[in-house]
Amino acid sequence: MALKWKRSLAVLMTVALSITLAACGGSKDKESDTASTNNNTSSDGKVKLRIMWWGSQPRHEATLKALELYTKNNPNVTFEPEYSGMDGYLDKLSTQAAAKNAPDIYQLDPGWVSDWQKRGQLAELSGVDVSKVDPKVLTIGRFDDKQYAVPLGSVAYGMIYDKAALEKSGGAAPQNGWKWDDFFALADSMKGKLPQGQYFTKDYAGDYFAYSAYQYAAGKGTIVTDDGKFNIDHDTYIAWTTKFEQLRKDGLVPPADLNASDKEFDPTADLMVSGKILFRLSFSNNYASWDSLKPGAYALVTMPRAAEAGGWLKPSMFFGISPNSKNAEEAQKFVNWFLNDPEAAKILGTQRGMPVNSEIGASIESTLSPADKVGLELLNATLPDGQTFTTGAPGWTNFIDKDFALVRDELSFGRTTPEEAFNKLKSAAEEYENQ
Amino acid sequence: MNRTANAASNTGAPLAPPTKKRGSWLKRWDAPIAGYLFILPWIIGFFGLTLYPMLLSLYYSFTNYTLMEDVKWVGFKNYDRIFMHDDKFIQSIKVTFLFVLGSVPLKLIAALLVAVVLNRAVRGISFYRTSIYFPSLIGGSIAVSLLWRNIFGVDGFFNKMLASIGIDAPGWITNPHTALWSLIMLSVWQFGSSMVIFLAGLKQIPADLYEASSVDGANKVTQFWKVTLPMLSPTIYFNLIMGVINAFQMFTSAYVITNGGPMNSTYVYALYLYERAFGRYQLGYASALAWIMLIMIVIVAALIAWSSKYWVFYEADTGRGKRK
């Protein structure tokens, strides 16, 4: 009997082993199998478009309403929307695209566009009318004089703060055009005044975007130059990280594990929404999202400046169409409508920023919700001398997402000094400079 | 079947006509063909979905395959870079081994203890077994990972409980000291399938061994060490190998709960491989990583198999050690 047991054990083991092997070896093929089922066109001209975007609840609702309207006007087109928060969005989209199973239409961050075009993952958008769009925001999606991705709106980068909490601790509300010195002075003045468990701002020491703004304001340009060179200014970086080291010691930024738990727009995990911090960075169009979580609690202010302005305008996001789409024509028609139709614009508001089509933008201004108007104010305050947005050199996405993030954690956990952090970033950048 | 066919022709008429011979020839092949036909779906799956992609990935590991551009042969360049110039490789190996060393033994112990407790004739035992097995049914999924993230977050359920008894706890999954342990605990919690195999193994142990040992004066604890464990060692061996293979490939929870952070403390190997393959589209490089992982798993599994002759006990061949 025992011998039998041993033999059956061997059989069991072989079977289990091969299942495991099959499971890990086979997964890739399964994905490409589903690619062939992507053809959703049936013989009666009915088309189903897959569309994917990220955002928060108000953007989801507005977009879904717009899709509904489009289907009402064009009964042969229906949609299969896939929407989520930003968390994991790029991973999901990249994986689908790698399996040639990307949605017909997908939303892209301006920073990804050149990488995606270079890899042949964007179809040319010859059928989208961009004649009324400011040419400056079109360049990011333009390659060899052909448009591969269209911008959906412009936004301004600034800060958002908790009005009541700031007042309670005796802080004066900041004014548009304030300086980084004012920002840090305000932080220092809060020392010892904040209630237990509340902090002035996030630990932005290693944050790519916050530091970008600081270096811009110092007049030292972008972190990575457009031709792909590491361009963090040593002294500016040390000044910034040292300042945050001080804030960390003074208890004005959250301890590292709390800081790392922050999830933007998450009703429980967003540090500002849960009342743990007063200030955080924000795009002008995000105001409505935060306002929907706690109506009336927040206000926007421009990014602090120094020698130059700190904030910038940027095209918020783009739509691209998959080169594997079987319904590219219908997809282009839809994107064109999304961009240029006044009815669509009325529904979408400024969920993706101020419409880039100037006529449309002007036409909806009067119909904007109060929350959208707050965002528009920041946009107008940033407009006069804001920095020029650049997507940076292609191929650096991972540097920003992973290498920068690691140094950010190390700084926040106090495991590295400002000097070491600079050197780490510098040496991590070498791999990207030489790619 | 084969044998009976031959036997029939041997005992049949001595002057067998050629037609009959052909019949037996056909018959001789009949059986295996039917057999192969039956396993054909599996064979197709194995060659098409397992062996072919595996060999292809071996080829890709010597190229700079990026999915979009032309494939170029680069020889051992990928392997050279991985072993000589890749800090993330070292870090992910470290984390993966820590995870395997932490999760596999704890999971086995938990599974074994629960199996022993559940291996008795109590009223409603199937209900208990089912409810204990339940976490494993939903195990490894995104949903469980999200749940874990909420329970062990800074303001999670677990910390609120601790706070109510006055303990100020850290954010388990956002602290580099505890993050990996949170993932290990998640994997230990999903001990159900090992437990079921242990239960089956326990049922195989003859009751007379327990009777005899209790006559000899052994108490429950001695029985566990002297009877249960040795008799169960083949099952432990099986669970150990399977557990190690699975733990090396751990991905979902590290990806969903911590995404490798904080400070790369949960940056497991599969996560790094994924990042190379689908974050940076370096599929050649990722294939090389995959093959290194495969070889690592084979070596570890072989070491365990080799060690088994010292601690795995088979009732039937007690003379095994001496024979050598």
Side-chain angles (χ1 to χ4, degrees):
Chain A
M1 190 197 80
L3 195 68
K4 210 169 163 190
W5 167 229
K6 187 184 165 187
R7 194 180 299 152
S8 57
L9 191 72
V11 171
L12 195 63
M13 225 159 138
T14 325
V15 170
L17 207 73
S18 32
I19 290 172
T20 333
L21 282 174
C24 50
S27 54
K28 247 190 251 168
D29 288 65
K30 265 176 237 151
E31 269 168 40
S32 53
D33 277 351
T34 51
S36 56
T37 62
N38 204 9
N39 190 352
N40 289 319
T41 327
S42 53
S43 49
D44 53 353
K46 280 209 187 315
V47 166
K48 191 175 221 176
L49 293 175
R50 280 175 62 210
I51 174 168
M52 187 158 144
W53 71 86
W54 78 85
S56 55
Q57 199 53 34
R59 185 185 296 164
H60 298 330
E61 278 163 17
T63 313
L64 289 173
K65 254 194 227 156
L67 298 184
E68 222 169 86
L69 177 64
Y70 191 80
T71 302
K72 218 174 101 194
N73 297 343
N74 307 276
N76 63 322
V77 180
T78 52
F79 293 93
E80 194 184 319
E82 293 172 42
Y83 48 94
S84 63
M86 187 64 190
D87 213 21
Y89 176 86
L90 179 60
D91 287 338
K92 186 179 173 192
L93 183 60
S94 304
T95 315
Q96 291 189 353
K100 303 207 188 315
N101 188 31
D104 298 290
I105 304 159
Y106 41 81
Q107 185 173 306
L108 291 167
D109 184 86
W112 310 337
V113 172
S114 64
D115 279 358
W116 281 64
Q117 198 278 335
K118 215 177 95 188
R119 286 195 299 254
Q121 288 169 318
L122 288 172
E124 197 199 326
L125 304 179
S126 50
V128 179
D129 176 20
V130 290
S131 57
K132 295 197 183 73
V133 179
D134 178 5
K136 250 193 284 174
V137 292
L138 281 176
T139 50
I140 289 169
R142 220 173 164 79
F143 302 88
D144 299 331
D145 269 341
K146 288 173 190 153
Q147 202 71 31
Y148 284 88
V150 288
L152 302 174
S154 3
V155 294
Y157 207 21
M159 283 191 175
I160 187 167
Y161 62 94
D162 188 328
K163 287 188 284 190
L166 182 65
E167 200 176 325
K168 218 175 173 184
S169 301
Q175 300 298 316
N176 281 345
W178 67 329
K179 303 196 148 143
W180 277 109
D181 288 344
D182 303 330
F183 174 83
F184 286 119
L186 182 60
D188 290 337
S189 77
M190 294 278 128
K191 195 175 162 185
K193 287 191 196 149
L194 292 168
Q196 171 83 22
Q198 198 174 60
Y199 309 89
F200 182 68
T201 188
K202 262 189 88 174
D203 191 337
Y204 281 122
D207 187 274
Y208 173 82
F209 296 101
Y211 178 68
S212 288
Y214 187 72
Q215 183 163 317
Y216 263 141
K220 305 286 183 188
T222 50
I223 290 180
V224 178
T225 62
D226 283 357
D227 55 350
K229 291 277 171 296
F230 176 79
N231 190 42
I232 293 183
D233 180 69
H234 176 266
D235 295 346
T236 312
Y237 186 78
I238 300 296
W240 168 260
T241 44
T242 312
K243 192 65 215 169
F244 269 93
E245 209 170 30
Q246 188 59 41
L247 295 184
R248 213 172 292 132
K249 272 188 205 130
D250 293 342
L252 289 165
V253 294
D257 52 353
L258 182 61
N259 196 60
S261 73
D262 177 52
K263 280 210 183 314
E264 248 184 7
F265 309 125
D266 183 307
T268 56
D270 184 306
L271 290 181
M272 186 178 69
V273 175
S274 61
K276 295 198 179 70
I277 57 170
L278 307 186
F279 276 85
R280 70 179 304 152
L281 303 185
S282 172
F283 283 107
S284 53
N285 61 325
N286 293 148
Y287 178 79
S289 304
W290 271 306
D291 191 60
S292 74
L293 292 172
K294 231 187 206 180
Y298 307 113
L300 290 175
V301 63
T302 52
M303 191 69 82
R305 52 187 301 135
E308 295 180 17
W312 60 85
L313 290 185
K314 74 160 199 168
S316 56
M317 46 203 75
F318 287 73
F319 263 159
I321 292 178
S322 164
N324 299 108
S325 168
K326 300 272 196 297
N327 305 310
E329 208 159 302
E330 287 295 338
Q332 291 204 32
K333 268 189 213 158
F334 168 74
V335 172
N336 189 43
W337 176 83
F338 200 89
L339 200 66
N340 294 319
D341 187 89
E343 288 289 310
K346 217 175 271 171
I347 293 176
L348 292 164
T350 59
Q351 287 302 334
R352 288 181 175 79
M354 215 37 206
V356 287
N357 178 329
S358 43
E359 280 174 24
I360 298 281
S363 79
I364 66 161
E365 212 161 302
S366 58
T367 65
L368 286 182
S369 70
D372 284 345
K373 279 187 181 141
V374 176
L376 186 61
E377 256 171 60
L378 176 64
L379 196 95
N380 289 333
T382 309
L383 194 59
D385 66 344
Q387 297 286 344
T388 317
F389 174 77
T390 160
T391 57
W396 285 73
T397 313
N398 209 66
F399 176 74
I400 296 159
D401 283 357
K402 305 288 172 181
D403 297 279
F404 228 89
L406 174 61
V407 173
R408 175 198 67 205
D409 286 352
E410 286 177 345
L411 279 168
S412 156
F413 281 100
R415 293 288 178 78
T416 187
T417 64
E419 197 68 45
E420 279 167 19
F422 176 81
N423 290 333
K424 268 185 196 163
L425 288 175
K426 197 173 172 170
S427 67
E430 276 165 21
E431 191 188 335
Y432 300 89
E433 284 180 334
N434 302 324
Q435 64 191 342
Chain B
M1 236 179 131
N2 211 351
R3 204 173 293 156
T4 35
N6 286 340
S9 65
N10 285 345
T11 53
L15 292 166
T19 44
K20 198 167 186 190
K21 206 174 189 178
R22 194 180 300 150
S24 75
W25 179 87
L26 259 177
K27 254 190 186 162
R28 236 188 16 230
W29 286 97
D30 224 21
I33 285 176
Y36 283 122
L37 278 177
F38 273 119
I39 60 167
L40 194 62
W42 185 83
I43 290 195
I44 291 174
F46 176 74
F47 281 97
L49 295 174
T50 304
L51 199 63
Y52 171 69
M54 268 181 82
L55 293 178
L56 202 61
S57 83
L58 181 61
Y59 163 70
Y60 284 147
S61 75
F62 295 102
T63 67
N64 67 348
Y65 183 42
T66 58
L67 211 57
M68 315 296 158
E69 294 149 38
D70 292 337
V71 178
K72 239 185 278 155
W73 181 268
V74 297
F76 279 92
K77 207 174 132 202
N78 287 332
Y79 291 93
D80 180 62
R81 258 178 73 194
I82 291 170
F83 285 118
M84 310 311 272
H85 311 282
D86 195 339
D87 296 342
K88 285 182 182 167
F89 168 73
I90 311 276
Q91 171 69 11
S92 63
I93 291 262
K94 246 191 255 168
V95 171
T96 307
F97 269 87
L98 273 177
F99 178 77
V100 171
L101 287 177
S103 72
V104 175
L106 285 178
K107 192 175 184 170
L108 285 190
I109 291 169
L112 180 58
L113 290 184
V114 175
V116 169
V117 170
L118 289 182
N119 183 32
R120 44 178 93 179
V122 186
R123 245 178 108 86
I125 190 71
S126 345
F127 172 74
Y128 295 121
R129 278 181 201 157
T130 312
S131 28
I132 293 219
Y133 184 68
F134 198 66
S136 304
L137 283 179
I138 47 173
S141 71
I142 304 284
V144 172
S145 299
L146 287 174
L147 178 76
W148 214 253
R149 191 161 86 181
N150 283 327
I151 291 179
F152 289 97
V154 175
D155 274 343
F157 173 72
F158 190 66
N159 276 3
K160 286 209 170 118
M161 242 169 45
L162 289 180
S164 70
I165 53 170
I167 298 174
D168 193 16
W172 301 97
I173 55 172
T174 47
N175 185 309
H177 295 293
T178 53
L180 188 62
W181 282 102
S182 321
L183 301 189
I184 289 175
M185 289 327 285
L186 173 57
S187 131
V188 171
W189 181 59
Q190 293 159 346
F191 56 75
S193 53
S194 327
M195 182 202 73
V196 167
I197 297 173
F198 274 134
L199 259 178
L202 286 170
K203 299 252 176 254
Q204 295 269 349
I205 302 176
D208 50 357
L209 289 179
Y210 290 104
E211 281 162 25
S213 59
S214 72
V215 168
D216 286 342
N219 61 20
K220 291 272 177 206
V221 177
T222 322
Q223 278 182 345
F224 178 78
W225 290 108
K226 300 284 183 189
V227 180
T228 311
L229 269 192
M231 292 299 291
L232 209 56
S233 59
T235 320
I236 298 177
Y237 175 43
F238 171 77
N239 272 337
L240 178 65
I241 294 252
M242 295 315 298
V244 165
I245 292 176
N246 278 327
F248 266 110
Q249 300 177 30
M250 189 277 228
F251 175 77
T252 311
S253 55
Y255 175 71
V256 175
I257 300 177
T258 55
N259 200 5
M263 277 174 52
N264 285 352
S265 61
T266 58
Y267 199 60
V268 291
Y269 197 87
L271 200 58
Y272 178 45
L273 195 157
Y274 173 82
E275 188 186 306
R276 282 280 174 181
F278 298 106
R280 306 181 63 179
Y281 293 98
Q282 299 171 339
L283 275 99
Y285 200 87
S287 299
L289 284 171
W291 273 87
I292 293 168
M293 158 116 102
L294 177 71
I295 290 163
M296 249 165 25
I297 294 178
V298 167
I299 291 175
V300 172
L303 279 177
I304 295 172
W306 168 81
S307 78
S308 73
K309 66 181 176 214
Y310 296 107
W311 60 274
V312 176
F313 170 79
Y314 295 107
E315 206 190 357
D317 47 11
T318 38
R320 199 176 184 216
K322 281 175 210 153
R323 212 186 299 145
K324 198 184 167 196

